[in-house]
């Protein structure tokens, strides 16, 4: 295997692995955030949290798509990261720039990693 092909494979596998780790971390955070005194309740969730959960599920769909169509899946994940960052800044202003960086930048980087792993298929292998 050529060095460039090995690096692309590492970027693709590493990006997907990092996505699964971050997705698990953030979803556990969202689950603990949604558990109240009376137990788990979707009806008592703030709209901002519900929008973030929906955004993360769209990015999860992007991960699933990336196994079939690398570029499209990577763009969905990257777009979700951009959405999270912009949504945090619009929701909280300049005070939430740290939240925007935490919720957006890792997924933008992972999306770029997955897109960078794209290889043209050759008819010889």
């Amino acid at each position: 295997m050529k060095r460039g092909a090995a690096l692309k494979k590492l970027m693709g596998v590493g990006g997907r692995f990092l996505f699964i780790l971050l997705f698990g971390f953030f979803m556990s955070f969202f689950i603990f955030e949604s558990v109240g005194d009376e137990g788990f309740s979707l009806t008592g969730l703030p709209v901002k949290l519900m929008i973030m959960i929906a955004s993360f599920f769209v990015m999860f769909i992007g991960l699933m798509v990336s196994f079939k169509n690398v570029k499209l899946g990577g763009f969905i994940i990257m777009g979700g990261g951009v959405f999270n960052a912009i949504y945090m800044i619009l929701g909280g202003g300049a005070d939430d720039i740290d939240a925007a960086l935490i919720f957006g930048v890792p997924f933008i980087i992972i999306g770029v990693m997955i897109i960078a792993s794209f290889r043209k298929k050759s008819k010889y292998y």
Side-chain angles (χ1 to χ4, degrees):
M1 185 182 293
K2 291 183 180 180
R3 184 174 164 182
L7 182 62
K8 284 186 175 199
K9 186 173 185 175
L10 178 67
M11 294 278 281
V13 172
R16 289 177 179 102
F17 180 74
L18 285 173
F19 179 86
I20 291 169
L21 285 176
L22 282 173
F23 181 81
F25 172 75
F26 283 115
M27 290 316 288
S28 65
F29 170 74
F30 294 147
I31 289 170
F32 289 127
E33 184 78 20
S34 63
V35 175
D37 295 332
E38 65 279 346
F40 184 75
S41 170
L42 282 177
T43 57
L45 288 179
V47 174
K48 186 174 183 177
L49 184 61
M50 289 175 56
I51 290 172
M52 290 300 293
I53 291 171
S55 167
F56 274 84
F57 277 118
V58 168
M59 288 190 292
F60 185 76
I61 291 170
L63 175 71
M64 295 298 118
V65 168
S66 75
F67 288 105
K68 190 73 172 167
N69 186 336
V70 177
K71 280 184 165 180
L72 179 61
F75 278 117
I76 292 172
I77 293 170
M78 191 171 62
V82 169
F83 172 80
N84 286 345
I86 291 172
Y87 183 71
M88 286 297 199
I89 291 172
L90 291 177
D95 294 338
D96 275 351
I97 193 76
D98 56 342
L101 294 173
I102 292 169
F103 283 92
V105 171
F107 294 102
I108 294 170
I109 292 170
I110 289 170
V112 169
M113 286 175 67
I114 291 173
I115 292 168
S117 73
F118 175 75
R119 293 178 295 214
K120 268 195 211 178
K121 292 190 178 185
S122 171
K123 61 182 177 178
Y124 300 110
Y125 72 92

